[in-house]
Amino acid sequence: FYRDISLDLLDDTKDYQGNLLDKPLNLFYSSSDYMPSYEINGNTINIYDVTNSIRYEYGLSTRYNPREYEVGLYKESDSGMVLIKKVELDINSQFSFSVLSDGVYRVAAIFGDLIDIKTDFRSKWYSISREDITLDSDNIKSDVFLFISPLFK
């Protein structure tokens, strides 16, 4: 009987002295001999608020807050793309999914809470990776760049 455990600590997690994490942290434990080693890392930019997003990264603006975005990782299955994990952007507008198995993935970022991508993209600022991300023995790590765009009505 093997058991895998994943523990996600968000960047708003505080220690006993009130210190915040700089970025979300994912801890993974496996009682088997196998540990998945694939990963997807990414960066985002809000293309309609470039000035404030760049100024925020240099500590010059508080109007743009990357932590308001949630990023979902979808894995291809027989029934389509299935949401398998969600993370928040870190303070530098970056995200990371690690300890992944081989397969075909997509990444989506949504302003606010990611609930259902099929309806969220109609009512919130969003970005979806343009191509499938295939992780296998030839491609163990992938970097993704997402351009956040506003809702068009």
Side-chain angles (χ1 to χ4, degrees):
F1 171 62
Y2 294 108
R3 183 122 177 115
D4 296 334
I5 298 171
S6 178
L7 175 64
D8 295 313
L9 299 175
L10 300 177
D11 56 0
D12 62 354
T13 303
K14 295 180 183 179
D15 67 10
Y16 67 95
Q17 292 182 334
N19 300 310
L20 291 171
L21 293 173
D22 285 337
K23 61 183 179 179
L25 180 64
N26 175 257
L27 304 172
F28 188 84
Y29 171 79
S30 176
S31 60
S32 71
D33 292 337
Y34 173 73
M35 179 76 76
S37 59
Y38 303 118
E39 64 182 76
I40 296 174
N41 299 306
N43 204 335
T44 64
I45 189 165
N46 184 329
I47 60 175
Y48 290 90
D49 200 3
V50 173
T51 302
N52 281 322
S53 65
I54 292 171
R55 289 171 51 86
Y56 179 86
E57 288 188 32
Y58 288 98
L60 303 173
S61 173
T62 57
R63 287 183 46 206
Y64 177 78
N65 185 356
R67 293 180 179 184
E68 294 175 341
Y69 289 87
E70 198 165 56
V71 182
L73 179 65
Y74 294 82
K75 186 172 185 180
E76 188 175 275
S77 72
D78 293 338
S79 60
M81 296 303 264
V82 177
L83 178 65
I84 60 166
K85 193 171 198 176
K86 295 190 294 187
V87 297
E88 294 175 340
L89 291 180
D90 69 16
I91 197 164
N92 296 316
S93 301
Q94 297 173 342
F95 60 90
S96 180
F97 296 103
S98 57
V99 194
L100 301 173
S101 58
D102 60 339
V104 178
Y105 296 89
R106 283 270 176 139
V107 176
I110 293 286
F111 180 78
D113 294 328
L114 176 60
I115 298 166
D116 180 2
I117 191 65
K118 294 175 184 171
T119 56
D120 287 343
F121 82 93
R122 294 183 180 136
S123 61
K124 301 175 182 179
W125 289 40
Y126 74 96
S127 181
I128 299 173
S129 55
R130 291 188 275 175
E131 299 175 346
D132 289 341
I133 303 163
T134 302
L135 297 178
D136 56 27
S137 60
D138 294 329
N139 187 31
I140 62 170
K141 182 178 178 184
S142 183
D143 294 315
V144 178
F145 200 81
L146 299 175
F147 294 97
I148 305 292
S149 64
L151 174 67
F152 291 103
K153 293 185 178 184

